[in-house]
Amino acid sequence: MREGLRTVASGFHFLEAPRWHQGSLYASDMHGQKVLRFSHGGGFDVVCDVPARPSGLAWTGQGDLLISSMADQLILRLRAGTLEPFADLTEAVPGDLNDMISDRRGGLYIGNFGFRAGEAMKPTVLVHVNGSGETRCVAEGLGFPNGMAITPDGRNLLVAETFSFRISAFEIRPDGSLSTRRDWAAFSPAPVELDPAAAMKGDVPLPDGICLDAEGALWIADAGGDGVIRVAPGGKILDRILTPGLSVFAVELGGRARKTLYMCAAPKMGTVDFETERAGRLLACEISVPGV
């Protein structure tokens, strides 16, 4: 199923939102405040600096990089080497921006924490931004919407709700709105856990970043565990890759034939100060089922 877990590169603050794009892997070093592009050999270059912390990455149809800028709640566009605002979400979301994904119509789906530092956690919204930068809420009551994937037919959006212990699915309507939420995989019957520290101490998977493979399974980063799991629709765990001493917070399938599973890893949440320490690393291993 897989072989050769290895460290591709290390010395980062906290890697997130890996994306395979035009033969290269991109990722955000959230607390390093940079977007990075990695080479096959593990070298990397800085694409741009994002002072309010970068998270989700996507591209416009014209090839411009889009970045969710967390603390100032903006979607930024990198055009001709310059960052500029693309969409302002300050009135649309209650917390720092999180991951995002683009659809085939040029729209974006964007999650958020649901709270600010020092506030109690609460369920939150999922926002859609169209190609003109217009914003609207498309789902409510999500428990920390995190990584996302869209099925190859473009018809279904999958959302990891970290502190609801589930992957939710929505049908994507032609106008970008979403159907009623349904379970794609539920790892616990418990309702949303409003105490992240308590959730981290449990043994239930905390789905963070996700990516789809060609058999319709999801690779899921377990933010509270020490590795990643491969899960079928309905929640059956098909495979597991352990990363001893490290949690994995995001995943992506890339490389030649899309058979390299990249993992953004770091010490377990709460054990180090990601703003000051460079304990994050990029891991990878080869698998048999390619990404889509």
Side-chain angles (χ1 to χ4, degrees), residues 60-71:
T60 68
Q62 295 74 41
D64 296 333
L65 175 63
L66 297 172
I67 305 160
S68 62
S69 181
M70 300 178 68

Side-chain angles (χ1 to χ4, degrees), residues 20 26 48 85 109 149 196-197 202 205 229 235 272:
W20 186 256
Y26 291 72
C48 61
Y109 295 95
I229 51 178
V272 301

Side-chain angles (χ1 to χ4, degrees), residues 167 184 187 207-210 218-222 227-231 251:
I167 306 296
W184 190 92
F187 302 109
D208 196 330
I210 61 176
L218 276 178
W219 283 102
I220 300 175
D222 180 2
V228 300
I229 51 178
R230 182 173 182 254
V231 177
V251 290

Side-chain angles (χ1 to χ4, degrees), residues 19-38:
R19 299 288 187 270
W20 186 256
H21 179 70
Q22 296 185 344
S24 295
L25 184 78
Y26 291 72
S28 294
D29 188 354
M30 180 187 296
H31 294 290
Q33 303 175 351
K34 301 179 187 302
V35 176
L36 308 174
R37 178 175 55 215
F38 292 87

Side-chain angles (χ1 to χ4, degrees), residues 114-136:
F115 63 96
R116 292 286 201 171
E119 297 177 350
M121 182 182 154
K122 55 185 178 294
T124 190
V125 298
L126 191 70
V127 169
H128 180 263
V129 175
N130 67 19
S132 300
E134 297 169 332
T135 300
R136 60 177 165 160

